Amino acid sequence: MTQIDALKTDEIQNYEIEHQEEVRRLAGECMVILENDGVLPLQAGTKKIALFGTGARHTIKGGTGSGDVNVRENISIAQGLERAGFKFVTEGWLDQYDRLYADAQEAYAKKLNEFTEKTGKPSMLYAFENPFEEPEQPEITEVDVKEADAAIYVISRNSGEGKDRRAEKGDYYLRDRELQNIRFMTEHYKNCIVLLNVGGVIDLTALKTIEGIQAIMLVGQTGNMGGYAVADVLTAKTIPSGKLTDTWAKSYEDYPSSATFSHRDGNLDDEYYSDGIYVGYRYFDTFGVMPLYCFGYGKSYTEFEIKTMNVTADEKQVQVEVEVTNIGDKYPGKEVVQVYYSAPDGIMEKPTQELAGFAKTKLLAPGEKDVVTITFATIDMASFDAYDAAWVMEEGEYTIRVGNSSRNTEAVAVIDLDEQVTTLQLKRLMRDTIAVRELHHMIPIFDIEFDFGVPAIPFRIMLQAENFKKELVEYEVMRRTLMDKRKDEVLTLEDVKAGNATLYELTAQLTVEEMAELCVGTERRNGDGNVIGSASSCVPGAAGDTTSSLLETRKVPNLIQADGPAGLRLEIPCTAIPIATTLAQSWDMDLIHRMGELVGEEMKQLHVDLWLAPGMNIHRNPLCGRNFEYYSEDPVLTGLCAATETKGVQSQKGKGTTIKHFAGNNQEDNRMFTNAHISERALREIYLKGFEIAVKTAQPYAIMTSYNLINGVHSANNYDMLQNIARDEWGFEGLVMTDWYTSQDTTEMGMVSPSGKYSHSSSVQCIKAGNDLQMPGCQQNVDDIVEAVNEGKEITKADLQRCAKHILSVALKTM
């Protein structure tokens, strides 16, 4: 029996106080000013506030499901403003909504209890498909109007694991009552501000038609100190410097996947990624669709001048030096310099532009300058040629653009490549039996419709193809069984740590039964009704752990895993940091690294080994229910954020991240049984690229596979993706684990495919593919693996040894 390691006191710890203060200090920098005619920051004479909206007192710190965090307190925007010294003149309206909210929560709790009583299944299953819906807010009337210095309306939206959002009023669209109340507010108050306490994109087109709104700010969902952080930003105690990580469209139908995404076309079995490489700004720019707010956009309390000082390039690296000056006269600020490249259309069509790199300045006082340097590998401008299975730079001009958003850049350099270059030769992988009909363009519309200041190109650089080197990848051919050459000894992981044995030697001694137990998590439900996502016997509330059966005999410790990515999800209160999307809006790698450190410090305090985060799936469509857990529509920004957060966590010795969900997990409806049909080029350039950056840059301890199938093969069973790509091509060194219940029959838990077209993944094929650890585990997983190896069915002892060795290698790091 393993000992419960969690802290045994309810008293708040010093590290909690320090972490919450740090979140408060940094979260404001993640907020994005969308509109501001000067009303922000609030002036010193502002004392009385007319406060409205669902998120005023019920501010959402982050989404639901495994991304939630148990906290001691959640500071609402109302609390933050009140403690900053503001007085509310609308207590009556707020109290009225409180009563409606409490009634709705009581009714919802009753439904959860009735579900469990009727079915015997965990209430979480009901909550996944039927999340709590906020009640209709009361109408603002003349009775509520009191004299105030400013009026603030807080729009909130929640979403979570297990269900996608809907293009309906109250979700993607604003409710009629919301628009009615905001319109009333603007007619009766001056200095009207709208705050967006949302985790993803919502439609703002109708909002922008309302006259009298003087500022709109995306405050996002910033963890349990959010109310303080918002108050700090509104009063300029913290200067907001966030930029959007997604394209906010004028109409939902402008997104290329809008008609067929998830439930939209009535087909939850097969999702055809017909948008191909044209995701987010790559589509809007290339096809000439004007967004409401573009990728990378965000205002400041001041103004900046951006001047490119120098651009250099060779076959290895492109370097851009940019001088940024705060040309305002009152407020300090930080600016994000963004560098994009436009590759020439050749045999392969290209997006009009793609993000190459970025840098954030220090806090600049009025008149102060800063020079930032953005570098990226020259071969990062290559495109994937699916026909030849190679990364290729076609001959022609590569234009380098610099600015502070995707729609506000200028061409500063042209890199001219004299001949085509193959930078990396691979082999064809991840092929589908069904060809996806993808979007194509004939002419890059962007350059015709939008003037980017093309005439004066200050820097022109010639590159010769002969200076580039073509790299080849060696792929695994076969797995050889490890032979025990030290049979007269009983080796342990402590021997390996001491340098008296190798991982190979220890693994060779393990029996098939020992390895099967090691490769399967410890949950054994047997109909006992355990809470889904809380399957650890060591730390209350942890998502799961590995076996303790080898602790005495082989000195192999449990690997304790806790959910994320907005902090640790345990029964013990932890610090809720900003959700991934809000965090990424900082575009500040130092800030994100510090947030990772903070999580790693709490992992150390609470004896957690693996954080089941960062989440890094692409925001293909704004209706994905878990977009709040992921960073962006762009794979480069996604990969750099995940790599930086991983480095922060792993700066704490023995603590590691689990990047997820690998890969193509871009919808929640029927998430366990959806077949994502994605072309190899789209996979390589969009959906795998962020994972590649994170692996190569930060070497996370683990990767979690996704529930879905990709081109007919479950991610958990996909040898091409797990072995050939992650390990052979990228050099991944850690362990691969499944998402929870991926490789077992979940019928009795109510997790079933509506049509029955696709089933769960194979436990045995997980071992074959190199999915080392199956979570949370069941006895059937163990039995299937042992039988398959002993009877020579589908897998060999060598396959199982390879998986076991990967788990042991991570366990060794935690000792």
Side-chain angles (χ1 to χ4, degrees):
M1 180 70 178
T2 52
Q3 181 180 357
I4 296 177
D5 289 328
L7 294 177
K8 299 176 176 64
T9 176
D10 290 331
E11 294 182 8
I12 190 167
Q13 304 295 300
N14 289 334
Y15 75 85
E16 294 181 78
I17 298 172
E18 294 170 2
H19 288 175
Q20 289 176 4
E21 284 301 312
E22 193 140 26
V23 169
R24 172 182 178 171
R25 180 176 64 85
L26 296 174
E29 296 190 29
C30 306
M31 298 178 190
V32 183
I33 302 173
L34 299 176
E35 304 288 346
N36 185 22
D37 70 355
V39 69
L40 292 179
L42 295 173
Q43 300 306 303
T46 305
K47 299 296 183 182
K48 296 180 180 179
I49 301 289
L51 182 64
F52 303 101
T54 57
R57 286 183 176 169
H58 302 278
T59 308
I60 298 171
K61 72 180 189 301
T64 63
S66 63
D68 197 8
V69 179
N70 176 28
V71 297
R72 292 186 186 275
E73 60 177 345
N74 181 33
I75 304 301
S76 69
I77 290 174
Q79 289 173 308
L81 290 171
E82 194 168 30
R83 294 178 191 179
F86 294 99
K87 303 295 183 183
F88 304 135
V89 300
T90 51
E91 295 281 358
W93 188 94
L94 295 170
D95 290 344
Q96 188 179 356
Y97 182 68
D98 282 350
R99 291 190 291 271
L100 294 173
Y101 193 90
D103 291 343
Q105 281 192 316
E106 183 179 351
Y108 185 68
K110 184 178 179 181
K111 288 182 179 179
L112 294 177
N113 291 333
E114 289 174 348
F115 173 81
T116 299
E117 291 173 1
K118 183 178 180 179
T119 66
K121 296 180 173 63
S123 60
M124 185 180 287
L125 292 177
Y126 180 87
F128 276 161
E129 297 186 2
N130 303 276
F132 173 73
E133 294 183 7
E134 297 172 337
E136 179 72 280
Q137 61 191 272
E139 180 182 358
I140 305 174
T141 66
E142 297 287 347
V143 176
D144 301 304
V145 177
K146 303 289 190 300
E147 183 180 347
D149 302 309
I152 298 175
Y153 195 99
V154 186
I155 297 173
S156 288
R157 289 292 186 272
N158 207 355
S159 64
E161 183 178 8
K163 185 177 182 179
D164 287 316
R165 297 172 57 199
R166 298 301 190 261
E168 299 171 354
K169 294 178 180 179
D171 192 344
Y172 183 76
Y173 295 102
L174 298 185
R175 295 183 178 94
D176 292 338
R177 178 61 57 81
E178 285 176 317
L179 291 169
Q180 174 189 339
N181 281 347
I182 293 171
R183 192 173 291 110
F184 184 94
M185 180 183 76
T186 61
E187 292 170 352
H188 291 78
Y189 294 98
K190 60 181 180 179
N191 300 327
C192 292
I193 301 160
V194 174
L195 303 179
L196 305 177
N197 171 221
V198 300
V201 177
I202 63 172
D203 182 79
L204 297 182
T205 304
L207 182 70
K208 290 197 65 175
T209 65
I210 299 176
E211 294 185 6
I213 298 175
Q214 293 169 279
I216 303 174
M217 183 182 292
L218 174 59
V219 300
Q221 295 170 350
T222 51
N224 60 310
M225 294 289 105
Y228 290 145
V230 169
D232 290 343
V233 165
L234 294 181
T235 57
K237 183 177 180 180
T238 300
I239 303 297
S241 53
K243 302 282 185 176
L244 294 179
T245 65
D246 292 320
T247 302
W248 288 50
K250 291 182 177 180
S251 168
Y252 172 71
E253 285 70 27
D254 287 344
Y255 295 103
S257 59
S258 59
T260 59
F261 173 77
S262 186
H263 54 272
R264 296 279 296 173
D265 61 356
N267 178 7
L268 289 177
D269 292 321
D270 295 275
E271 182 76 7
Y272 297 94
Y273 284 51
S274 58
D275 39 353
I277 60 173
Y278 297 112
V279 177
Y281 69 89
R282 287 169 170 79
Y283 170 77
F284 284 81
D285 292 353
T286 306
F287 288 82
V289 180
M290 183 66 75
L292 189 66
Y293 297 111
C294 69
F295 174 82
Y297 169 84
K299 292 187 173 183
S300 175
Y301 286 164
T302 187
E303 298 290 334
F304 300 96
E305 179 181 75
I306 295 176
K307 182 180 179 181
T308 302
M309 306 299 291
N310 193 26
V311 179
T312 58
D314 57 21
E315 67 276 8
K316 294 181 179 180
Q317 179 177 274
V318 178
Q319 180 169 295
V320 183
E321 295 181 14
V322 181
E323 181 184 79
V324 181
T325 306
N326 181 347
I327 58 175
D329 58 7
K330 189 173 184 180
Y331 294 105
K334 296 181 180 181
E335 181 62 294
V336 178
V337 178
Q338 301 163 38
V339 176
Y340 298 80
Y341 70 89
S342 299
D345 273 328
I347 296 176
M348 292 182 288
E349 61 185 271
K350 315 291 196 312
T352 293
Q353 61 175 351
E354 300 178 69
L355 183 69
F358 55 88
K360 195 166 189 175
T361 68
K362 64 181 181 180
L363 187 67
L364 299 176
E368 190 175 6
K369 301 176 185 290
D370 190 17
V371 176
V372 297
T373 301
I374 297 99
T375 60
F376 59 95
T378 307
I379 60 174
D380 285 349
M381 296 188 291
S383 302
F384 186 75
D385 183 344
Y387 183 81
D388 289 329
W391 286 94
V392 172
M393 290 183 68
E394 295 191 89
E395 66 178 282
E397 295 185 343
Y398 291 76
T399 303
I400 306 300
R401 305 181 186 275
V402 173
N404 64 356
S405 73
S406 61
R407 288 294 177 111
N408 185 31
T409 64
E410 63 176 357
V412 299
V414 168
I415 300 171
D416 197 341
L417 182 62
D418 63 345
E419 294 181 10
Q420 178 171 301
V421 173
T422 297
T423 63
L424 182 63
Q425 184 63 57
L426 308 173
K427 68 179 182 181
R428 291 204 67 181
L429 300 168
M430 308 285 290
R431 283 181 285 184
D432 200 349
T433 57
I434 302 172
V436 180
R437 296 183 62 181
E438 294 182 319
L439 283 174
H440 294 285
H441 78 87
M442 299 302 293
I443 300 173
I445 299 173
F446 188 96
D447 289 336
I448 296 173
E449 295 193 355
F450 303 99
D451 180 15
F452 258 43
V454 173
I457 306 292
F459 302 99
R460 290 188 174 272
I461 302 163
M462 296 294 296
L463 294 183
Q464 295 181 331
E466 63 183 18
N467 293 328
F468 288 80
K469 292 183 179 180
K470 177 180 177 180
E471 294 187 23
L472 301 175
V473 172
E474 289 188 20
Y475 293 96
E476 179 183 72
V477 177
M478 66 178 296
R479 294 171 180 165
R480 299 185 182 276
T481 303
L482 304 179
M483 306 305 295
D484 183 8
K485 298 180 180 179
R486 300 175 66 172
K487 294 181 180 180
D488 57 336
E489 303 174 69
V490 178
L491 299 177
T492 69
L493 199 58
E494 288 184 351
D495 292 324
V496 178
K497 183 180 180 181
N500 299 323
T502 66
L503 277 176
Y504 292 88
E505 291 172 327
L506 172 58
T507 306
Q509 282 199 348
L510 298 182
T511 66
V512 171
E513 289 74 16
E514 284 177 314
M515 289 188 289
E517 287 285 347
L518 182 61
C519 291
V520 175
T522 58
E523 183 182 73
R524 301 292 184 266
R525 290 180 57 82
N526 299 322
D528 60 3
N530 287 348
V531 177
I532 293 175
S534 180
S536 171
S537 60
C538 300
V539 176
D545 50 31
T546 56
T547 185
S548 58
S549 64
L550 302 182
L551 184 58
E552 294 299 324
T553 58
R554 299 291 185 176
K555 307 302 180 186
V556 178
N558 302 71
L559 293 175
I560 312 301
Q561 302 140 38
D563 274 323
L568 299 178
R569 183 171 178 253
L570 301 170
E571 289 182 12
I572 299 163
C574 297
T575 304
I577 66 174
I579 59 171
T581 302
T582 300
L583 204 58
Q585 285 166 187
S586 72
W587 293 64
D588 187 328
M589 295 301 102
D590 291 336
L591 185 154
I592 294 173
H593 189 278
R594 178 57 196 138
M595 289 296 179
E597 288 178 332
L598 184 151
V599 172
E601 289 164 6
E602 295 198 358
M603 292 171 69
K604 188 174 182 179
Q605 287 284 342
L606 302 172
H607 305 281
V608 171
D609 301 302
L610 292 176
W611 188 36
L612 303 181
M616 50 187 306
N617 293 104
I618 294 298
H619 294 177
R620 177 182 176 232
N621 186 285
L623 298 187
C624 175
R626 292 181 86 172
N627 273 354
F628 71 96
E629 292 191 44
Y630 312 138
Y631 298 110
S632 172
E633 68 185 27
D634 180 76
V636 171
L637 179 57
T638 292
L640 292 174
C641 286
T644 301
E645 199 164 11
T646 290
K647 287 180 178 180
V649 171
Q650 295 183 179
S651 67
Q652 299 297 308
K653 185 178 183 301
K655 306 305 172 186
T657 66
T658 307
I659 57 175
K660 66 181 187 183
H661 306 86
F662 191 54
N665 191 134
N666 305 107
Q667 73 179 64
E668 286 299 295
D669 286 3
N670 196 37
R671 59 182 177 158
M672 298 184 76
F673 309 103
T674 293
N675 187 3
H677 300 272
I678 315 174
S679 71
E680 190 175 359
R681 183 180 180 189
L683 274 168
R684 296 280 193 174
E685 294 191 13
I686 305 296
Y687 301 102
L688 298 180
K689 175 60 71 174
F691 288 97
E692 179 181 5
I693 292 170
V695 167
K696 290 182 174 179
T697 306
Q699 276 294 344
Y701 280 20
I703 292 174
M704 180 190 291
T705 52
S706 55
Y707 285 122
N708 53 281
L709 301 86
I710 300 179
N711 296 339
V713 180
H714 270 285
S715 297
N717 295 160
N718 204 312
Y719 180 90
D720 281 1
M721 190 171 72
L722 304 186
Q723 179 62 48
N724 289 156
I725 294 177
R727 295 199 186 275
D728 297 338
E729 294 179 9
W730 303 346
F732 177 61
E733 299 171 355
L735 70 85
V736 177
M737 71 172 71
T738 67
D739 205 337
W740 266 229
Y741 304 105
T742 302
S743 60
Q744 61 192 79
D745 188 348
T746 54
T747 303
E748 64 98 12
M749 289 185 282
M751 300 179 187
V752 295
S753 165
S755 70
K757 183 174 182 179
Y758 300 111
S759 183
H760 55 82
S761 67
S762 162
S763 178
V764 172
Q765 286 302 312
C766 280
I767 302 299
K768 184 72 172 180
N771 200 326
D772 311 301
L773 177 60
Q774 298 178 49
M775 294 300 298
C778 66
Q779 189 58 45
Q780 191 64 52
N781 290 154
V782 177
D783 296 343
D784 288 346
I785 293 169
V786 171
E787 179 184 358
V789 174
N790 288 340
E791 297 187 10
K793 296 178 179 178
E794 300 181 77
I795 58 174
T796 66
K797 187 176 181 180
D799 295 324
L800 186 56
Q801 285 177 330
R802 189 164 173 81
C803 291
K805 182 173 68 68
H806 292 148
I807 297 171
L808 292 173
S809 70
V810 173
L812 183 64
K813 292 180 179 181
T814 68
M815 295 176 65

